[in-house]
């Protein structure tokens, strides 16, 4: 059995004080997450405050939302893997569609960031997903195969246990529209197909694939019931403590 993983992507939300407040509300609600792996990916500036607020609570891991490929240097505004590690960050999101859409992230830069993250011993959540235009043009499969293969180029099989893939259809992010469980399952299957081609059946099957895009307490159960889906990457609903805790404990819904 693969360990399921629910990760919150806070995006560009919360000041330092709001971060502490949100985590203090979240901790008793999440309580013991049992077998579920739980991660919150906060803005860089809130990592230290989040780490302190999470201290003593083993159930929630700390994540960041991006990482640069170089160890250091003249890259104004960027953050290195070692900087994240020095703040006890365990996870990092790479290639989120908002980075691809608004900040010029490409398949190549996603690959470079992933290499740096795994080399530093971070765990990575690599995001792939088609736009509405691509889906309507019947190009979903092609896009997922391309994005997945490109992201993993040159990544050694031994690093796969450090990586989770998030299928995030761009048209479902922050829109209230969710992929149907069947659509999400098919997409996760296509992602595994790309991984199978590169690494073989067993390693591809062992990898965890999350669904992301307007996941909430009302749709989590049916999405998680899909055989190809091993977790969720939650945006909007991760900022609502009650809702996020329900998602973590979806088996009790
Ligand atoms: P959403 O965001 O849950 O608000 O749709 C998901 C994501 O962008 O990771």
């Amino acid at each position: 059995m693969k360990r399921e993983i629910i990760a919150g992507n806070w995006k560009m939300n919360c000041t330092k004080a709001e971060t502490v407040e949100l985590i203090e509300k979240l901790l008793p609600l999440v309580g013991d997450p049992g077998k579920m792996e739980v991660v919150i990916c906060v803005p860089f500036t809130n990592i230290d405050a989040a780490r302190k607020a999470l201290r003593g609570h083993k159930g929630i891991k700390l994540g960041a939302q991006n990482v640069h490929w170089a160890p250091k240097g003249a890259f104004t505004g960027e953050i290195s893997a070692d900087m994240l590690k020095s703040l006890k960050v365990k996870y990092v999101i790479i290639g989120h569609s908002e980075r691809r859409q608004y900040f010029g992230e490409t398949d190549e830069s996603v690959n470079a960031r992933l290499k740096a993250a795994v080399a530093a011993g971070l765990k990575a959540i690599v995001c792939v997903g088609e736009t509405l235009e691509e889906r309507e043009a019947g190009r979903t499969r092609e896009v997922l195969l391309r994005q997945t293969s490109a992201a993993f180029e040159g990544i050694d099989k031994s690093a796969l246990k450090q990586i989770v893939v998030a299928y995030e259809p761009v048209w479902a992010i922050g829109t209230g529209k969710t992929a149907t469980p069947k659509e999400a399952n098919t997409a996760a299957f296509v992602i595994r197909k790309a991984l199978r081609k590169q690494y073989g059946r067993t390693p591809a099957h062992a990898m965890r694939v999350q669904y992301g895009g307007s996941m909430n307490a009302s749709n989590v159960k049916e999405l998680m019931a899909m055989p190809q889906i091993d977790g969720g990457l939650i945006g909007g609903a991760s900022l609502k403590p009650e809702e996020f805790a329900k998602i973590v404990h979806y088996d009790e819904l």
Side-chain angles (χ1 to χ4, degrees):
M1 259 304 267
K2 275 179 267 183
R3 189 175 184 200
E4 294 181 334
I5 172 166
I6 295 292
N9 174 9
W10 286 20
K11 308 194 179 184
M12 194 176 75
N13 290 290
C14 294
T15 60
K16 183 177 165 183
E18 286 162 352
T19 297
V20 174
E21 201 182 316
L22 210 159
I23 290 175
E24 281 172 356
K25 282 195 189 134
L26 194 58
L27 288 178
L29 290 166
V30 167
D32 177 2
K35 289 202 184 74
M36 181 67 78
E37 184 168 18
V38 185
V39 185
I40 53 171
C41 300
V42 303
F44 293 131
T45 49
N46 298 336
I47 288 172
D48 209 38
R51 180 176 61 84
K52 288 186 185 123
L54 289 170
R55 203 175 270 161
H57 187 94
K58 292 246 174 326
I60 300 181
K61 293 174 185 162
L62 194 52
Q65 299 170 16
N66 200 5
V67 63
H68 196 261
W69 53 82
K72 61 171 151 182
F75 300 102
T76 304
E78 292 285 329
I79 302 283
S80 76
D82 278 349
M83 293 173 187
L84 296 179
K85 288 204 70 179
S86 72
L87 293 174
K88 306 265 189 290
V89 166
K90 299 279 182 268
Y91 270 90
V92 63
I93 297 173
I94 294 175
H96 190 278
S97 68
E98 285 150 17
R99 302 288 326 164
R100 294 181 193 252
Q101 262 185 305
Y102 308 132
F103 302 99
E105 199 79 65
T106 62
D107 286 345
E108 290 71 31
S109 63
V110 169
N111 175 246
R113 291 181 200 273
L114 182 60
K115 281 180 178 151
V118 295
L122 288 167
K123 293 195 170 185
I125 296 175
V126 186
C127 304
V128 297
E130 81 288 359
T131 61
L132 183 59
E133 207 183 9
E134 288 162 341
R135 175 162 282 263
E136 285 175 347
R139 295 182 48 220
T140 299
R141 186 185 157 83
E142 165 207 326
V143 169
L144 294 177
L145 291 173
R146 190 202 77 226
Q147 289 184 346
T148 308
S149 307
F152 282 81
E153 202 184 297
I155 299 284
D156 194 76
K157 200 187 268 189
S158 62
L160 294 183
K161 53 184 180 305
Q162 284 168 253
I163 308 172
V164 179
V165 181
Y167 167 58
E168 296 214 309
V170 178
W171 48 271
I173 295 175
T175 56
K177 281 190 209 145
T178 324
T180 64
K182 199 163 167 269
E183 284 169 337
N185 197 61
T186 304
F189 182 79
V190 171
I191 290 165
R192 283 214 170 79
K193 200 176 156 70
L195 295 169
R196 203 165 66 208
K197 193 163 168 225
Q198 192 170 342
Y199 300 104
R201 176 180 285 272
T202 310
H205 186 74
M207 284 203 66
R208 295 181 292 177
V209 178
Q210 296 170 299
Y211 168 78
S214 301
M215 201 191 234
N216 55 43
S218 316
N219 57 33
V220 58
K221 214 168 174 164
E222 48 177 19
L223 285 159
M224 291 299 289
M226 292 291 115
Q228 297 286 335
I229 306 289
D230 310 302
L233 182 56
I234 325 294
S238 72
L239 297 167
K240 301 177 194 154
E242 287 83 8
E243 182 95 8
F244 189 66
K246 278 188 194 164
I247 296 171
V248 169
H249 295 284
Y250 78 88
D251 54 341
E252 290 163 24
L253 290 173

